[in-house]
Amino acid sequence: MTDRNVAGSNNSDLTEMNRSAIVRILQQKMCSRADIARMTGLTQASVTKITAILIEMGIVSEVGIIKGNGNRRSIGLRLNAEDKLVLGIKFSRQMFTIGVFDISGKPYKVRQTKFELSQDAGAVISKMKKQIHDFLKKYANIVAIGMAVPGPFFREKGRIAVITELPGWHDVNFVSEFSEEFDKPVFIEQDANAGAMAEWWFGDHIRPVTTLAYLLAGEGIGSGIVDNGNLLLGMKGIASEIGHMSIDVNGPKCECGNCGCLELYCSAAQMLKRVRQEAPGLLVDGNDSRAEACEKVFAAARCGNKKALKIVNEMGKYLGYGCINILNAYNPDLIVIGDILSKGGDLLLPEIQKTVRERVVPEIFDNARIEISRLGIDSTLLGAAAIATDKVLRKPSEYLAV
Ligand SMILES: [Zn+2]
């Protein structure tokens, strides 16, 4: 195994890196060769040579005349995105969702399957595998599979480190289970990292962004950091586990071993626990999923229900503490909040902003934006597709050549 600290780059690696840089630009927008040269720092001659190969491989096409930089008219290039598909899979505590996407993030088909917390892990995995096989049979152009699992996820061991409420899943090796089953490459990431990649690749926000932080506020709390296009992973791939960062060292004990973890105060599960204790009348239908139940609480808060408003405001405050820790630890220019609690973003964001403004250095607050995800689709599911897309675009010759 190569020592990462001193790894070199062979000519073939450099060729692929340059191809990847161009493909990644074209994934965002149509460009002329001159635009690409300006953005990548490659010479015009190099861009001409590399794009000729990408066109020959069927990865890139010419699209006629476009207006380039400074209104100059030149031939446009586009990425052939629609004929290359990836499969995104979101595994969460009560359901799994499988979606087919093209590499521009456009969804083709999404299928959701619920399961009980008490159900045997092996049976659920068999069901997932069968559905994946069905999708691969139906969509022949799928080039890679991305999967998002609840964090923290130990990538080397392929297993989820702490999965609250699902102890039977603790020993499941996701990497071997799924990589050995399919003849397509399978890439697995923890859910918050996947969400961060979804925002990086497909998010509707002002570009350019240098460091993007994604705060997953769902069944649990997590965060993912993308710095200049690369996920911050740490030694074992569990960096930026904000959900298990303590906000009260004397607080209740968490399953991870720490005390007063953020996740114990402001996940969807915690919000509903508080509603059951303080305003049980808001949750009349016991069959609601957590997401559905949370939406009811938000709806009640919007109608002025005082108990609902109090709980929602406190959730906002705790999410604000999470943002403060993210800002101080990673100095992102953008924090995007996604997943279940983002459905109440209109109620939560003012409280989050207020809490953050009061507690961070003004220069940090003024230069960072905090937004609610506008992806319009489950960001973890799209993130699973983004993880696969990112890997595919890093090696275009291997995955995209016709
Ligand atoms: Zn914890």
Side-chain angles (χ1 to χ4, degrees):
M1 197 182 167
T2 319
D3 186 335
R4 279 197 293 181
N5 293 324
V6 290
S9 299
N10 295 306
N11 274 343
S12 57
D13 299 332
L14 287 174
T15 305
E16 193 65 0
M17 274 166 64
N18 286 335
R19 286 177 190 168
S20 173
I22 293 175
V23 165
R24 286 149 73 95
I25 286 171
L26 292 175
Q27 194 278 345
Q28 299 290 326
K29 59 177 181 179
M30 253 187 257
C31 284
S32 69
R33 290 173 175 81
D35 293 334
I36 293 171
R38 188 172 46 78
M39 285 188 262
T40 55
L42 291 165
T43 63
Q44 280 261 20
S46 298
V47 172
T48 303
K49 200 171 139 190
I50 299 165
T51 51
I53 294 166
L54 290 171
I55 290 170
E56 202 181 298
M57 286 175 161
I59 299 169
V60 167
S61 300
E62 290 188 335
V63 285
I65 304 295
I66 59 162
K67 265 187 195 167
N69 196 31
N71 263 349
R72 281 220 317 259
R73 290 159 68 81
S74 41
I75 296 170
L77 296 171
R78 69 183 278 271
L79 183 66
N80 297 329
E82 67 285 346
D83 62 348
K84 292 291 182 294
L85 305 176
V86 294
L87 203 60
I89 302 159
K90 175 189 176 180
F91 173 78
S92 54
R93 288 176 179 85
Q94 287 174 304
M95 67 175 78
F96 63 86
T97 314
I98 304 181
V100 181
F101 296 84
D102 72 16
I103 56 174
S104 69
K106 186 177 153 204
Y108 281 70
K109 175 88 186 164
V110 173
R111 183 172 174 188
Q112 201 172 68
T113 307
K114 290 189 182 179
F115 61 88
E116 297 295 321
L117 290 173
S118 56
Q119 211 168 333
D120 175 59
V124 177
I125 286 176
S126 297
K127 212 182 266 184
M128 286 171 81
K129 285 179 179 172
K130 186 181 175 307
Q131 286 192 25
I132 296 168
H133 278 298
D134 290 346
F135 273 111
L136 292 174
K137 240 179 258 167
K138 196 168 171 200
Y139 296 91
N141 291 352
I142 292 172
V143 293
I145 299 168
M147 186 183 290
V149 298
F153 176 67
F154 286 130
R155 50 185 51 237
E156 272 171 31
K157 291 180 180 160
R159 66 176 183 81
I160 299 166
V162 184
I163 179 158
T164 37
E165 300 174 316
L166 281 179
W169 289 79
H170 197 262
D171 296 322
V172 173
N173 185 325
F174 280 79
V175 173
S176 59
E177 278 289 349
F178 291 95
S179 297
E180 288 162 16
E181 179 78 14
F182 305 103
D183 60 357
K184 305 285 177 191
V186 180
F187 304 105
I188 305 179
E189 233 352 298
Q190 57 122 319
D191 47 11
N193 282 347
M197 280 310 236
E199 292 292 344
W200 180 269
W201 278 108
F202 311 128
D204 166 31
H205 44 72
I206 306 160
R207 290 173 200 280
V209 172
T210 305
T211 306
L212 181 150
Y214 176 71
L215 175 55
L216 182 149
E219 308 255 353
I221 293 284
S223 71
I225 312 294
V226 186
D227 187 51
N228 282 304
N230 297 309
L231 274 171
L232 180 74
L233 294 170
M235 177 183 59
K236 299 277 181 195
I238 56 164
S240 68
E241 261 310 329
I242 197 92
H244 295 283
M245 196 178 262
S246 182
I247 57 166
D248 179 2
V249 290
N250 299 311
K253 186 98 177 164
C254 176
E255 283 186 45
C256 75
N258 200 357
C259 290
C261 292
L262 180 65
E263 184 168 290
L264 299 177
Y265 298 87
C266 62
S267 63
Q270 287 304 321
M271 179 163 110
L272 294 175
K273 194 172 154 191
R274 286 201 48 189
V275 172
R276 272 192 295 275
Q277 287 165 355
E278 297 167 37
L282 292 175
L283 303 171
V284 280
D285 188 350
N287 293 324
D288 282 346
S289 69
R290 279 198 182 131
E292 287 160 347
C294 285
E295 291 207 30
K296 281 185 184 167
V297 178
F298 290 133
R302 283 187 199 103
C303 292
N305 182 299
K306 285 208 173 79
K307 285 179 178 169
L309 266 172
K310 179 173 173 268
I311 294 169
V312 169
N313 278 342
E314 276 177 34
M315 290 294 131
K317 193 177 286 177
Y318 286 121
L319 287 171
Y321 298 154
C323 289
I324 292 164
N325 285 333
I326 290 175
L327 286 168
N328 286 325
Y330 307 110
N331 187 209
D333 33 354
L334 174 65
I335 298 179
V336 185
I337 298 166
D339 216 275
I340 297 175
L341 294 187
S342 71
K343 298 289 190 308
D346 54 325
L347 300 161
L348 295 166
L349 196 55
E351 195 61 34
I352 294 170
Q353 301 270 19
K354 182 170 164 270
T355 307
V356 175
R357 194 183 303 116
E358 285 168 359
R359 291 169 182 245
V360 295
V361 179
E363 283 82 354
I364 296 178
F365 181 78
D366 293 343
N367 289 299
R369 284 174 288 133
I370 302 175
E371 296 178 1
I372 300 295
S373 174
R374 293 189 294 269
L375 288 172
I377 183 167
D378 184 324
S379 41
T380 306
L381 175 66
L382 184 60
I387 291 295
T389 299
D390 183 66
K391 297 287 186 186
V392 162
L393 297 182
R394 280 173 194 270
K395 289 189 174 175
S397 315
E398 192 174 326
Y399 297 120
L400 297 178
V402 178

